[in-house]
Amino acid sequence: MHNYNQLVHSNPVHSDFFVVNWCIGNTCNFTCSYCPEGLHDGSVPFVDLETACRFSDQVIEHYRLLNPNKMFYFEFTGGEVSLCPWFLELAAHIKGRGGHVGMISNGSRAMPFWQRAVEHLDHVCLSYHPEGAKPEHFFAVTSFLSERLRVHVNIMMPPERFEECWGFAERMAEVPNISMAIQPLIVNFDRVLYDYTEDQRLRIEKQHQLVVSKIKHTRKFESYRGSMTKVMQDKRKTAAPQVLIAANENSWQGWLCSAGTEQIVVNMNGGIFRGWCLEGGKIGNIRNGKIAFPQNEVRCAKNFCHCNFDIMCTKRAEVESRPHPW
């Protein structure tokens, strides 16, 4: 039971963006133990560039007809996005249509790739995976990108390497103008957190005060998604998705959710859904171009929300109308 009845964007500008979270494939050069094999085994080939461009055009054209002022943010995930041979060409195409482009990456590609990529990107989310990452290279890539565009850093926290990763997070806080999240891990992307100690969970919940607040900001970059705000009448409290997950406050069963009207997701097979929860069912596939774009909110039937991306869209509890007692 929540003590609020709305979850809204803390930054009102985020409501102006329609966001596409697109898993471009499952080819990856890392094989992290906490990542399901199907997300990194390369079993699903990339679609072709023409199909990818056609789908991005469909999204932009559909929602611009509904709202000429609507802005678009395409965020690509994987697998490892930087391994897609035509990714930068697609990014350039979307930018040419007035869209914004971001990617989630493990940051492992050599510096020449990032030197080419910066002109086609607006945002990069770098995920630090301690089982595969080279700390010095990750730090160098983050520093290079943060001088040129918006950068967010996720620090993945396997319990058995917690202190090592916490120390790296403290070092990353020395890089100015980034945002950062110390990410708790969920077993098989289900409900159960990995076996963190009480002290570890408390530190994750208090990560902003302990680490993130130390990051210095001298410039402002445009952002597209971020923290949410709990609203109950005149009371408001900001909450980051990773903190909601760590505190087991990530259930909105029975609420109306804007997944599908503020966002859609594309899985590695080209299937299109409202969110990674798959609530509301499949709405199309990029391979055949047939898409039934949602018109309304969807009522959540899930008993928890496991994905940061799905958490970062508007949700509201319906207030029942009751007759007056007189």
Side-chain angles (χ1 to χ4, degrees):
M1 179 66 107
H2 296 296
N3 60 355
Y4 59 95
N5 57 20
Q6 291 185 76
L7 192 70
V8 301
H9 297 289
S10 298
N11 184 344
V13 173
H14 295 171
S15 300
D16 298 329
F17 278 91
F18 187 85
V19 181
V20 180
N21 191 262
W22 189 341
C23 181
I24 204 167
N26 68 348
T27 298
C28 189
N29 55 333
F30 285 7
T31 55
C32 300
S33 62
Y34 46 81
C35 179
E37 185 176 351
L39 290 182
H40 60 237
D41 65 5
S43 58
V44 180
F46 298 115
V47 299
D48 59 90
L49 176 61
E50 181 181 356
T51 297
C53 289
R54 180 186 66 193
F55 168 66
S56 65
D57 290 343
Q58 282 181 281
V59 172
I60 292 171
E61 290 165 7
H62 175 81
Y63 285 99
R64 275 193 177 149
L65 281 175
L66 299 177
N67 180 357
N69 297 317
K70 180 62 70 177
M71 295 182 286
F72 300 88
Y73 175 56
F74 289 77
E75 182 174 56
F76 293 88
T77 182
E80 173 52 39
V81 177
S82 66
L83 299 180
C84 177
W86 43 256
F87 169 67
L88 293 182
E89 293 177 74
L90 175 60
H93 176 81
I94 293 171
K95 294 276 285 182
R97 295 295 309 269
H100 301 248
V101 180
M103 65 183 294
I104 298 174
S105 172
N106 60 31
S108 61
R109 287 292 300 269
M111 196 62 76
F113 171 84
W114 299 109
Q115 292 167 341
R116 295 194 306 273
V118 288
E119 66 179 289
H120 304 301
L121 299 172
D122 300 284
H123 179 224
V124 175
C125 175
L126 294 171
S127 295
Y128 181 77
H129 297 279
E131 294 177 6
K134 296 179 179 179
E136 294 304 322
H137 178 72
F138 190 95
F139 188 90
V141 169
T142 304
S143 300
F144 169 78
L145 293 174
S146 67
E147 294 176 356
R148 294 159 176 82
L149 44 78
R150 184 177 183 86
V151 176
H152 176 79
V153 174
N154 285 323
I155 308 293
M156 303 304 172
M157 302 297 288
E160 69 278 6
R161 301 181 71 163
F162 192 93
E163 295 305 326
E164 170 197 339
C165 294
W166 188 270
F168 189 72
E170 291 179 321
R171 184 185 177 197
M172 291 305 305
E174 299 171 6
V175 180
N177 300 310
I178 66 170
S179 57
M180 183 166 63
I182 295 173
Q183 292 284 5
L185 299 177
I186 302 175
V187 180
N188 294 325
F189 296 162
D190 204 341
R191 177 71 190 244
V192 180
L193 285 173
Y194 273 67
D195 190 18
Y196 294 101
T197 66
E198 187 62 30
D199 173 69
Q200 290 172 345
R201 287 187 60 158
L202 185 62
R203 287 159 70 184
I204 291 173
E205 289 182 31
K206 294 184 176 296
Q207 60 181 271
H208 182 79
Q209 300 97 301
L210 295 174
V211 179
V212 179
S213 61
K214 297 177 182 179
I215 299 171
K216 295 179 181 179
H217 296 276
T218 60
R219 290 177 293 164
K220 288 187 176 180
F221 294 105
E222 191 168 33
S223 63
Y224 315 98
R225 282 293 184 267
S227 293
M228 304 297 287
T229 295
K230 305 173 185 178
V231 180
M232 173 59 83
Q233 296 178 349
D234 60 340
K235 297 180 180 179
R236 304 173 71 91
K237 183 177 181 180
T238 299
Q242 66 273 13
V243 173
L244 290 170
I245 290 174
N248 286 317
E249 295 181 13
N250 53 329
S251 175
W252 295 276
Q253 190 174 41
W255 286 37
L256 293 175
C257 178
S258 295
T261 57
E262 292 185 351
Q263 65 174 53
I264 54 176
V265 305
V266 184
N267 68 19
M268 67 184 74
N269 295 304
I272 309 167
F273 300 83
R274 291 172 177 262
W276 291 111
C277 58
L278 311 184
E279 198 64 52
K282 190 174 180 179
I283 62 174
N285 192 292
I286 68 171
R287 295 178 188 274
N288 60 25
K290 296 178 180 178
I291 310 168
F293 289 105
Q295 303 297 316
N296 302 300
E297 302 160 297
V298 65
R299 188 177 301 280
C300 179
K302 306 288 185 181
N303 58 13
F304 68 96
C305 193
H306 76 275
C307 176
N308 281 14
F309 179 73
D310 288 349
I311 290 173
M312 291 185 290
C313 69
T314 306
K315 304 168 187 7
R316 63 186 177 92
E318 283 190 302
V319 179
E320 293 182 11
S321 59
R322 298 181 179 177
H324 291 292
W326 59 81

